[in-house]
Amino acid sequence: CESQSEVGNLVGGILIVVAVLAIAAAYSLQKVWHAVRMLRARCATELSELHGHLTSHHLIVSHLVDALPDAFASQSDRTELTTVRERAERSIDAIDAEHPRAKDMRKFSRRQQELFELVRRLTTRILASPSIREIQSVSGCLQGLIDANQKINDATAAYNASVITYATFLESPVSS
């Protein structure tokens, strides 16, 4: 009888230890899950912020094209800029901020670089022409582009940092 009592006490003690370990594991998993959700949400927030700044940039480009005299920007220049801007807009709109896919991000990056290069060439031409750069609406758009580019650079850096933090967390032994 005494032996059965000792076995019962031992089994009870083992069950208590197993229960405590299970509770600790569940708590630890919950903390990791919460951290993953928070890091993913931060990535989505930063991507949405970048999207907003790019949308502003695209709008300024559109206004700049409209502000240029016909003699300065040919119809084919205007059409090319409009086409590339619209492709860039579609590429960012195609990205699901909650679940961005690498393929969509690469396409988005290529489209934005295309647009930035066209705008860079256009602004170089504008700055080389005093009569054009002094047009109030053109100079306002140029200043707007400078501001928008800075915000895009800042938002890109913040997004990249959030993605790196998220990826690093997922690769760390703590989250595995």
Side-chain angles (χ1 to χ4, degrees), residues 91-111:
S91 73
I92 187 73
D93 289 340
I95 295 172
D96 177 2
E98 294 296 321
H99 306 326
R101 297 181 330 186
K103 179 180 106 176
D104 293 336
M105 295 302 286
R106 282 190 300 273
K107 184 176 182 179
F108 151 74
S109 182
R110 281 193 313 273
R111 297 292 190 226

Side-chain angles (χ1 to χ4, degrees), residues 97-129:
E98 294 296 321
H99 306 326
R101 297 181 330 186
K103 179 180 106 176
D104 293 336
M105 295 302 286
R106 282 190 300 273
K107 184 176 182 179
F108 151 74
S109 182
R110 281 193 313 273
R111 297 292 190 226
Q112 296 306 319
Q113 287 304 322
E114 261 184 278
L115 179 60
F116 288 142
E117 179 57 27
L118 275 177
V119 171
R120 187 196 60 74
R121 282 190 271 149
L122 177 62
T123 56
T124 299
R125 283 183 44 216
I126 291 170
L127 294 172
S129 175

Side-chain angles (χ1 to χ4, degrees), residues 2-170:
E2 205 173 292
S3 161
Q4 281 183 335
S5 176
E6 287 176 11
V7 169
N9 287 341
L10 182 62
V11 169
I14 290 173
L15 288 177
I16 290 173
V17 168
V18 168
V20 168
L21 289 175
I23 291 170
Y27 177 74
S28 184
L29 282 174
Q30 187 271 336
K31 282 181 61 175
V32 169
W33 179 249
H34 178 73
V36 167
R37 283 189 15 236
M38 296 305 291
L39 290 169
R40 283 187 75 143
R42 182 71 183 167
C43 290
T45 298
E46 297 298 349
L47 185 56
S48 294
E49 186 79 16
L50 177 59
H51 182 280
H53 294 307
L54 286 165
T55 300
S56 295
H57 181 270
H58 297 165
L59 183 61
I60 295 166
V61 169
S62 179
H63 288 305
L64 177 61
V65 170
D66 290 344
L68 294 172
D70 292 338
F72 184 79
S74 69
Q75 187 57 40
S76 65
D77 288 341
R78 293 172 192 277
T79 301
E80 181 182 20
L81 264 165
T82 300
T83 301
V84 171
R85 179 185 50 79
E86 288 171 351
R87 279 196 311 238
E89 288 171 0
R90 284 192 303 274
S91 73
I92 187 73
D93 289 340
I95 295 172
D96 177 2
E98 294 296 321
H99 306 326
R101 297 181 330 186
K103 179 180 106 176
D104 293 336
M105 295 302 286
R106 282 190 300 273
K107 184 176 182 179
F108 151 74
S109 182
R110 281 193 313 273
R111 297 292 190 226
Q112 296 306 319
Q113 287 304 322
E114 261 184 278
L115 179 60
F116 288 142
E117 179 57 27
L118 275 177
V119 171
R120 187 196 60 74
R121 282 190 271 149
L122 177 62
T123 56
T124 299
R125 283 183 44 216
I126 291 170
L127 294 172
S129 175
S131 63
I132 301 299
R133 74 173 180 244
E134 291 173 2
I135 297 172
Q136 188 175 12
S137 56
V138 171
S139 66
C141 287
L142 291 176
Q143 185 58 50
L145 284 174
I146 291 168
D147 296 343
N149 285 335
Q150 184 59 52
K151 289 176 182 175
I152 290 167
N153 290 339
D154 293 346
T156 299
Y159 174 70
N160 288 340
S162 68
V163 169
I164 290 168
T165 302
Y166 177 63
T168 301
F169 182 81
L170 291 179

